[in-house]
Amino acid sequence: MRRQAGIQHEILAHRTGVGVDYLARVLGGAHFPPRRFILLYARTCGADPQVLLRVWEDEHERLSAGPGQGSGKHPSSGGG
């Protein structure tokens, strides 16, 4: 999404109010961002925030359920 919008990491980090390292961890899957970040990220990239929020909510629910208690839609890839 960031690449499609043509926004560099540094600019995206600045516009969303986070550091470049934090942004890299979120985009790399090492850190689960707060809802507010998802809204800012979507708007900054010119995307529909509601679409990303649905994905975020599904993942938030899965993570909140704990190990082995997810929705059973698909097994974890186990990698990061």
Side-chain angles (χ1 to χ4, degrees):
M1 184 179 309
R2 177 193 64 81
R3 278 182 247 153
Q4 190 172 16
I7 302 173
Q8 296 175 343
H9 265 90
E10 295 81 7
I11 294 170
L12 183 58
H14 177 72
R15 290 183 183 171
T16 55
V18 301
V20 175
D21 290 340
Y22 177 87
L23 180 63
R25 288 193 309 271
V26 168
L27 297 180
H31 181 76
F32 188 75
R35 186 178 191 271
R36 181 175 183 271
F37 174 82
I38 294 302
L39 292 170
L40 289 169
Y41 181 84
R43 289 183 185 131
T44 300
C45 291
D48 182 354
Q50 295 305 315
V51 172
L52 276 185
L53 277 178
R54 279 186 230 132
V55 173
W56 182 89
E57 288 167 355
D58 286 347
E59 185 65 5
H60 184 267
E61 183 178 316
R62 186 186 71 79
L63 292 172
S64 296
Q69 298 178 18
S71 64
K73 291 180 185 175
H74 56 79
S76 172
S77 65

XYZ file of all heavy atoms in Angstrom:
611
model
N 0.819 -1.173 0.000
C 0.000 0.000 0.000
C 0.875 1.254 0.000
O 0.615 2.182 -0.742
C -0.911 -0.018 1.230
C -1.865 1.121 1.259
S -2.970 1.152 2.665
C -3.627 -0.484 2.662
N 1.907 1.244 0.831
C 2.820 2.384 0.905
C 3.497 2.594 -0.443
O 3.569 3.709 -0.944
C 3.873 2.168 1.990
C 4.906 3.298 2.063
C 6.094 2.923 2.909
N 6.868 1.819 2.373
C 7.784 1.927 1.399
N 8.021 3.076 0.842
N 8.445 0.875 0.980
N 3.975 1.513 -1.049
C 4.666 1.621 -2.336
C 3.714 2.095 -3.433
O 4.082 2.902 -4.271
C 5.283 0.294 -2.722
C 6.613 0.078 -2.035
C 7.243 -1.212 -2.454
N 7.232 -2.034 -1.254
C 7.212 -3.342 -1.229
N 7.231 -4.029 -2.328
N 7.191 -3.987 -0.101
N 2.495 1.579 -3.400
C 1.514 1.975 -4.398
C 1.194 3.466 -4.274
O 0.968 4.136 -5.275
C 0.246 1.148 -4.247
C -0.727 1.329 -5.376
C -1.885 0.366 -5.293
O -2.137 -0.242 -4.261
N -2.601 0.225 -6.377
N 1.198 3.979 -3.042
C 0.948 5.401 -2.821
C 2.175 6.244 -3.162
O 2.077 7.464 -3.271
C 0.539 5.639 -1.370
N 3.338 5.588 -3.299
C 4.564 6.296 -3.640
C 5.126 7.134 -2.502
O 5.728 8.171 -2.740
N 4.938 6.662 -1.279
C 5.395 7.402 -0.099
C 6.599 6.694 0.510
O 6.552 5.499 0.773
C 4.271 7.510 0.947
C 3.051 8.209 0.339
C 4.748 8.264 2.176
C 1.837 8.216 1.237
N 7.661 7.444 0.739
C 8.853 6.887 1.358
C 8.601 6.603 2.842
O 7.767 7.241 3.478
C 10.023 7.857 1.235
C 10.451 8.113 -0.172
C 11.544 9.172 -0.255
O 11.772 9.919 0.681
N 12.220 9.210 -1.381
N 9.362 5.630 3.383
C 9.228 5.257 4.798
C 9.318 6.466 5.723
O 8.518 6.599 6.644
C 10.332 4.256 5.189
C 9.921 2.837 5.105
N 10.074 2.106 3.960
C 9.366 2.019 6.024
C 9.637 0.884 4.179
N 9.192 0.805 5.409
N 10.293 7.317 5.482
C 10.519 8.464 6.369
C 9.331 9.414 6.370
O 8.924 9.913 7.422
C 11.787 9.217 5.956
C 13.063 8.424 6.125
C 13.341 7.436 4.989
O 12.611 7.440 3.963
O 14.284 6.639 5.128
N 8.773 9.650 5.205
C 7.617 10.544 5.100
C 6.390 9.907 5.746
O 5.647 10.569 6.474
C 7.348 10.905 3.626
C 8.514 11.737 3.097
C 6.030 11.636 3.468
C 8.488 11.953 1.608
N 6.193 8.632 5.502
C 5.062 7.927 6.101
C 5.170 7.922 7.621
O 4.187 8.153 8.324
C 4.974 6.497 5.563
C 3.806 5.663 6.057
C 2.471 6.320 5.730
C 3.863 4.280 5.442
N 6.360 7.681 8.129
C 6.561 7.693 9.576
C 6.217 9.070 10.138
O 5.493 9.181 11.142
C 8.009 7.324 9.912
N 6.699 10.105 9.501
C 6.427 11.470 9.962
C 4.934 11.778 9.937
O 4.380 12.307 10.903
C 7.191 12.476 9.101
C 6.909 13.897 9.460
N 7.386 14.477 10.610
C 6.172 14.835 8.826
C 6.952 15.719 10.669
N 6.225 15.960 9.588
N 4.267 11.438 8.855
C 2.844 11.752 8.704
C 1.957 10.953 9.649
O 0.845 11.380 9.956
C 2.398 11.523 7.262
C 2.971 12.555 6.318
C 2.460 12.346 4.923
N 3.065 13.313 3.996
C 2.932 13.260 2.687
N 2.214 12.296 2.126
N 3.516 14.155 1.928
N 2.422 9.796 10.076
C 1.634 8.998 11.019
C 2.073 9.210 12.461
O 1.496 8.632 13.374
C 1.701 7.495 10.670
O 3.065 7.085 10.621
C 1.017 7.204 9.345
N 3.127 10.010 12.645
C 3.560 10.355 13.994
C 4.343 9.276 14.708
O 4.341 9.202 15.936
N 5.019 8.413 13.946
C 5.826 7.348 14.548
C 7.249 7.428 14.020
O 7.517 8.111 13.031
C 5.233 5.938 14.255
C 3.818 5.828 14.788
C 5.273 5.607 12.772
N 8.139 6.707 14.649
C 9.517 6.638 14.179
C 9.666 5.650 13.039
O 8.831 4.758 12.852
N 10.736 5.803 12.294
C 11.002 4.921 11.157
C 11.187 3.472 11.628
O 10.696 2.545 10.983
C 12.230 5.409 10.359
C 12.584 4.447 9.246
C 11.972 6.790 9.786
N 11.873 3.278 12.760
C 12.078 1.920 13.281
C 10.751 1.266 13.664
O 10.522 0.089 13.386
C 13.014 1.933 14.487
C 14.445 2.263 14.100
O 14.805 2.116 12.921
O 15.205 2.672 14.999
N 9.886 2.036 14.298
C 8.563 1.522 14.680
C 7.786 1.124 13.424
O 7.200 0.038 13.356
C 7.796 2.590 15.468
C 6.395 2.175 15.828
C 6.143 1.452 16.993
C 5.312 2.511 15.022
C 4.861 1.067 17.330
C 4.027 2.132 15.352
C 3.801 1.412 16.506
O 2.526 1.036 16.838
N 7.786 2.012 12.439
C 7.085 1.731 11.186
C 7.606 0.450 10.547
O 6.827 -0.382 10.099
C 7.236 2.905 10.220
C 6.560 2.751 8.864
C 5.054 2.620 9.014
C 6.909 3.926 7.975
N 8.912 0.278 10.529
C 9.504 -0.928 9.946
C 9.053 -2.183 10.697
O 8.774 -3.212 10.073
C 11.024 -0.829 9.954
N 8.974 -2.115 12.025
C 8.518 -3.273 12.812
C 7.055 -3.599 12.521
O 6.688 -4.766 12.407
C 8.727 -3.030 14.299
C 10.193 -3.074 14.709
C 10.387 -3.140 16.221
N 9.655 -2.139 16.972
C 10.103 -0.914 17.273
N 11.295 -0.535 16.868
N 9.360 -0.075 17.963
N 6.226 -2.569 12.385
C 4.817 -2.793 12.074
C 4.675 -3.405 10.685
O 4.002 -4.427 10.509
C 4.014 -1.476 12.175
C 2.618 -1.647 11.579
C 3.923 -1.011 13.621
N 5.304 -2.799 9.701
C 5.187 -3.293 8.333
C 5.825 -4.665 8.153
O 5.417 -5.431 7.278
C 5.795 -2.289 7.351
C 5.098 -0.924 7.297
C 5.794 -0.015 6.295
C 3.630 -1.063 6.978
N 6.812 -4.976 8.990
C 7.452 -6.284 8.939
C 6.732 -7.357 9.736
O 7.116 -8.516 9.718
N 5.689 -6.965 10.457
C 4.907 -7.931 11.221
C 5.449 -8.234 12.601
O 4.947 -9.118 13.287
N 6.463 -7.499 13.049
C 7.049 -7.759 14.365
C 6.303 -7.037 15.480
O 6.497 -7.344 16.648
C 8.517 -7.332 14.382
N 5.453 -6.089 15.123
C 4.717 -5.324 16.125
C 3.290 -5.114 15.644
O 3.070 -4.740 14.495
C 5.399 -3.978 16.370
C 4.715 -3.146 17.408
N 4.821 -3.403 18.747
C 3.901 -2.074 17.293
C 4.113 -2.514 19.412
N 3.538 -1.695 18.547
N 2.319 -5.352 16.534
C 0.914 -5.125 16.202
C 0.550 -3.699 16.588
O 0.617 -3.331 17.752
C 0.020 -6.126 16.938
C -1.415 -6.073 16.496
C -1.791 -6.624 15.288
C -2.371 -5.455 17.282
C -3.116 -6.576 14.869
C -3.689 -5.398 16.871
C -4.069 -5.960 15.667
N 0.166 -2.871 15.624
C -0.068 -1.456 15.895
C -1.427 -1.194 16.538
O -2.360 -2.002 16.410
C -0.024 -0.830 14.499
C -0.584 -1.905 13.626
C -0.039 -3.198 14.218
N -1.566 -0.040 17.178
C -2.873 0.344 17.702
C -3.818 0.757 16.572
O -3.378 1.095 15.458
C -2.567 1.530 18.620
C -1.281 2.074 18.139
C -0.527 0.916 17.534
N -5.086 0.751 16.866
C -6.123 1.105 15.903
C -5.873 2.492 15.301
O -6.037 2.700 14.107
C -7.477 1.055 16.608
C -8.661 1.259 15.732
C -9.937 1.134 16.585
N -11.107 1.071 15.750
C -11.784 2.135 15.336
N -11.393 3.342 15.683
N -12.853 1.984 14.586
N -5.495 3.425 16.113
C -5.258 4.804 15.661
C -4.203 4.839 14.543
O -4.340 5.573 13.577
C -4.812 5.669 16.838
C -4.563 7.110 16.462
C -4.227 7.945 17.716
N -4.057 9.328 17.375
C -2.909 9.885 16.998
N -1.807 9.162 16.925
N -2.842 11.160 16.703
N -3.152 4.047 14.698
C -2.114 4.014 13.668
C -2.689 3.518 12.345
O -2.351 4.049 11.281
C -0.942 3.122 14.094
C 0.072 2.952 13.007
C 1.036 3.916 12.783
C 0.039 1.840 12.181
C 1.960 3.786 11.755
C 0.957 1.687 11.157
C 1.920 2.668 10.948
N -3.533 2.501 12.389
C -4.132 1.944 11.172
C -4.927 3.007 10.430
O -4.848 3.129 9.208
C -5.012 0.721 11.509
C -4.155 -0.422 12.045
C -5.830 0.261 10.303
C -3.066 -0.881 11.104
N -5.688 3.804 11.170
C -6.463 4.880 10.550
C -5.553 5.905 9.880
O -5.779 6.311 8.738
C -7.340 5.566 11.589
C -8.475 4.720 12.154
C -9.126 5.423 13.339
C -9.502 4.410 11.086
N -4.506 6.318 10.584
C -3.562 7.289 10.032
C -2.829 6.725 8.822
O -2.630 7.414 7.812
C -2.553 7.714 11.095
C -3.102 8.592 12.208
C -2.079 8.720 13.333
C -3.490 9.949 11.673
N -2.415 5.476 8.919
C -1.695 4.821 7.828
C -2.557 4.781 6.565
O -2.112 5.151 5.482
C -1.293 3.413 8.253
C -0.512 2.659 7.207
C 0.863 2.830 7.084
C -1.141 1.766 6.354
C 1.586 2.138 6.120
C -0.422 1.069 5.393
C 0.940 1.267 5.283
O 1.653 0.586 4.335
N -3.800 4.338 6.713
C -4.704 4.239 5.566
C -4.930 5.602 4.928
O -4.816 5.756 3.711
C -6.024 3.619 5.994
N -5.224 6.585 5.739
C -5.481 7.928 5.201
C -4.250 8.508 4.525
O -4.349 9.141 3.473
C -5.974 8.834 6.321
C -7.375 8.488 6.761
C -7.886 9.430 7.830
N -9.188 8.973 8.294
C -9.507 8.834 9.562
N -8.643 9.151 10.516
N -10.704 8.404 9.906
N -3.092 8.297 5.122
C -1.854 8.811 4.552
C -1.571 8.186 3.194
O -1.071 8.843 2.281
C -0.676 8.565 5.510
O -0.938 9.242 6.743
C 0.634 9.080 4.940
N -1.914 6.915 3.045
C -1.665 6.210 1.787
C -2.818 6.371 0.786
O -2.756 5.840 -0.315
C -1.436 4.728 2.062
S 0.106 4.399 2.913
N -3.872 7.070 1.186
C -5.003 7.274 0.292
C -5.893 6.058 0.152
O -6.582 5.895 -0.848
N -5.893 5.201 1.172
C -6.696 3.977 1.142
C -7.951 4.147 1.995
O -8.046 5.056 2.812
C -5.877 2.799 1.662
N -8.886 3.245 1.835
C -10.110 3.246 2.630
C -9.789 2.717 4.026
O -9.449 1.542 4.180
C -11.156 2.365 1.956
C -12.487 2.332 2.689
O -12.592 2.902 3.795
O -13.424 1.728 2.150
N -9.892 3.542 5.059
C -9.564 3.093 6.413
C -10.441 1.932 6.883
O -9.995 1.092 7.657
C -9.792 4.324 7.292
C -9.933 5.474 6.391
C -10.255 4.954 5.027
N -11.678 1.867 6.402
C -12.583 0.807 6.859
C -12.105 -0.580 6.450
O -12.285 -1.538 7.178
C -14.008 1.062 6.346
C -14.635 2.321 6.917
C -14.638 2.339 8.437
O -14.981 1.350 9.084
N -14.235 3.451 9.021
N -11.482 -0.668 5.290
C -10.965 -1.957 4.825
C -9.832 -2.423 5.744
O -9.827 -3.564 6.218
C -10.483 -1.866 3.359
C -9.776 -3.145 2.939
C -11.647 -1.561 2.444
N -8.881 -1.529 6.023
C -7.779 -1.904 6.914
C -8.268 -2.173 8.325
O -7.739 -3.049 9.009
C -6.713 -0.805 6.945
C -5.686 -0.834 5.836
C -4.633 0.242 6.061
C -5.023 -2.188 5.716
N -9.271 -1.431 8.775
C -9.799 -1.661 10.121
C -10.414 -3.056 10.252
O -10.276 -3.688 11.295
C -10.837 -0.607 10.494
C -10.270 0.684 11.024
C -11.385 1.676 11.322
C -9.433 0.455 12.271
N -11.070 -3.524 9.205
C -11.641 -4.885 9.259
C -10.536 -5.924 9.427
O -10.655 -6.860 10.208
C -12.460 -5.170 8.015
C -13.830 -4.579 8.096
C -14.686 -4.995 6.910
N -15.257 -3.756 6.405
C -15.280 -3.372 5.147
N -14.788 -4.139 4.203
N -15.809 -2.235 4.797
N -9.463 -5.746 8.681
C -8.325 -6.659 8.795
C -7.721 -6.560 10.195
O -7.436 -7.566 10.842
C -7.266 -6.360 7.714
C -6.011 -7.195 7.922
C -7.841 -6.594 6.329
N -7.537 -5.324 10.676
C -6.959 -5.090 12.005
C -7.826 -5.733 13.086
O -7.317 -6.395 13.999
C -6.822 -3.583 12.260
C -6.201 -3.256 13.573
C -4.876 -3.106 13.832
C -6.873 -3.044 14.824
N -4.674 -2.812 15.163
C -5.897 -2.764 15.793
C -8.215 -3.054 15.204
C -6.203 -2.511 17.119
C -8.536 -2.805 16.529
C -7.531 -2.533 17.459
N -9.155 -5.555 13.005
C -10.064 -6.118 14.007
C -10.013 -7.642 14.023
O -10.019 -8.260 15.086
C -11.480 -5.609 13.770
C -11.623 -4.144 14.136
C -12.902 -3.511 13.626
O -13.675 -4.182 12.891
O -13.126 -2.342 13.966
N -9.956 -8.255 12.842
C -9.851 -9.719 12.769
C -8.569 -10.202 13.441
O -8.578 -11.170 14.204
C -9.882 -10.210 11.322
C -11.268 -10.141 10.702
O -12.252 -9.939 11.452
O -11.359 -10.272 9.469
N -7.466 -9.532 13.144
C -6.182 -9.933 13.724
C -6.150 -9.653 15.227
O -5.629 -10.454 16.006
C -5.032 -9.223 13.011
C -3.663 -9.663 13.458
C -3.332 -11.112 13.135
O -4.113 -11.806 12.461
O -2.259 -11.568 13.568
N -6.714 -8.545 15.636
C -6.775 -8.208 17.059
C -7.559 -9.273 17.821
O -7.138 -9.723 18.889
C -7.418 -6.827 17.242
C -7.426 -6.355 18.646
N -8.486 -6.571 19.495
C -6.487 -5.683 19.363
C -8.204 -6.045 20.676
N -6.997 -5.504 20.618
N -8.669 -9.689 17.258
C -9.486 -10.739 17.871
C -8.714 -12.052 17.956
O -8.735 -12.739 18.967
C -10.765 -10.930 17.062
C -11.718 -11.954 17.662
C -12.985 -12.069 16.843
O -13.538 -11.039 16.441
O -13.403 -13.221 16.605
N -8.011 -12.386 16.877
C -7.230 -13.630 16.853
C -6.138 -13.604 17.909
O -5.941 -14.558 18.649
C -6.626 -13.847 15.469
C -5.923 -15.202 15.312
C -5.214 -15.306 13.978
N -4.045 -14.472 13.903
C -2.853 -14.786 14.460
N -2.707 -15.898 15.126
N -1.821 -13.961 14.342
N -5.436 -12.482 17.994
C -4.357 -12.373 18.970
C -4.885 -12.362 20.405
O -4.255 -12.906 21.310
C -3.538 -11.101 18.715
C -2.710 -11.089 17.436
C -2.106 -9.709 17.204
C -1.625 -12.144 17.483
N -6.040 -11.758 20.614
C -6.630 -11.688 21.949
C -7.117 -13.052 22.426
O -7.196 -13.292 23.628
C -7.801 -10.706 21.956
O -7.356 -9.408 21.682
N -7.453 -13.926 21.482
C -7.955 -15.248 21.840
C -6.863 -16.117 22.457
O -7.146 -17.046 23.194
C -8.535 -15.948 20.613
N -5.623 -15.807 22.158
C -4.520 -16.592 22.707
C -4.188 -17.789 21.846
O -4.914 -18.123 20.917
N -3.081 -18.471 22.181
C -2.648 -19.626 21.395
C -3.680 -20.750 21.397
O -4.252 -21.077 22.425
C -1.363 -20.089 22.101
C -0.982 -18.977 23.002
C -2.210 -18.163 23.267
N -3.937 -21.283 20.207
C -4.827 -22.429 20.092
C -6.296 -22.106 20.253
O -7.127 -22.992 20.261
N -6.646 -20.822 20.394
C -8.046 -20.464 20.600
C -8.571 -19.541 19.506
O -9.585 -18.903 19.668
C -8.209 -19.769 21.952
C -7.841 -20.649 23.114
C -7.972 -19.900 24.429
O -8.626 -18.882 24.524
N -7.347 -20.431 25.459
N -7.847 -19.454 18.395
C -8.238 -18.581 17.304
C -9.487 -19.084 16.610
O -10.113 -20.055 17.019
N -9.832 -18.441 15.517
C -11.058 -18.761 14.792
C -10.953 -20.055 14.002
O -11.963 -20.567 13.560
C -11.385 -17.621 13.829
O -10.366 -17.506 12.854
N -9.747 -20.581 13.848
C -9.570 -21.834 13.110
C -9.607 -21.636 11.608
O -9.692 -22.602 10.865
N -9.565 -20.398 11.141
C -9.623 -20.132 9.701
C -8.403 -20.656 8.972
O -8.501 -21.166 7.889
C -9.755 -18.635 9.444
C -11.088 -18.083 9.875
C -11.149 -16.603 9.592
C -12.425 -16.007 10.119
N -12.469 -14.558 9.969
N -7.221 -20.507 9.620
C -6.000 -21.001 8.995
C -4.927 -21.153 10.073
O -4.921 -20.438 11.050
C -5.520 -20.064 7.884
C -5.318 -18.652 8.354
N -4.200 -18.232 9.052
C -6.098 -17.579 8.236
C -4.311 -16.953 9.336
N -5.460 -16.525 8.857
N -4.043 -22.100 9.912
C -2.978 -22.271 10.888
C -1.957 -21.149 10.793
O -1.790 -20.536 9.745
C -2.341 -23.622 10.498
C -2.670 -23.788 9.062
C -3.985 -23.090 8.835
N -1.288 -20.907 11.892
C -0.254 -19.877 11.918
C 0.905 -20.302 11.055
O 1.251 -21.479 10.978
C 0.238 -19.666 13.353
O 1.339 -18.819 13.375
N 1.500 -19.328 10.368
C 2.665 -19.650 9.533
C 3.882 -19.912 10.378
O 4.834 -20.511 9.925
C 2.922 -18.510 8.548
O 3.291 -17.337 9.248
N 3.866 -19.395 11.621
C 4.965 -19.663 12.545
C 6.202 -18.838 12.284
O 7.128 -18.837 13.054
N 6.243 -18.094 11.179
C 7.433 -17.310 10.868
C 7.179 -15.831 11.016
O 6.074 -15.376 11.185
N 8.271 -15.039 10.923
C 8.060 -13.608 11.046
C 8.997 -12.839 10.205
O 9.784 -13.150 9.470
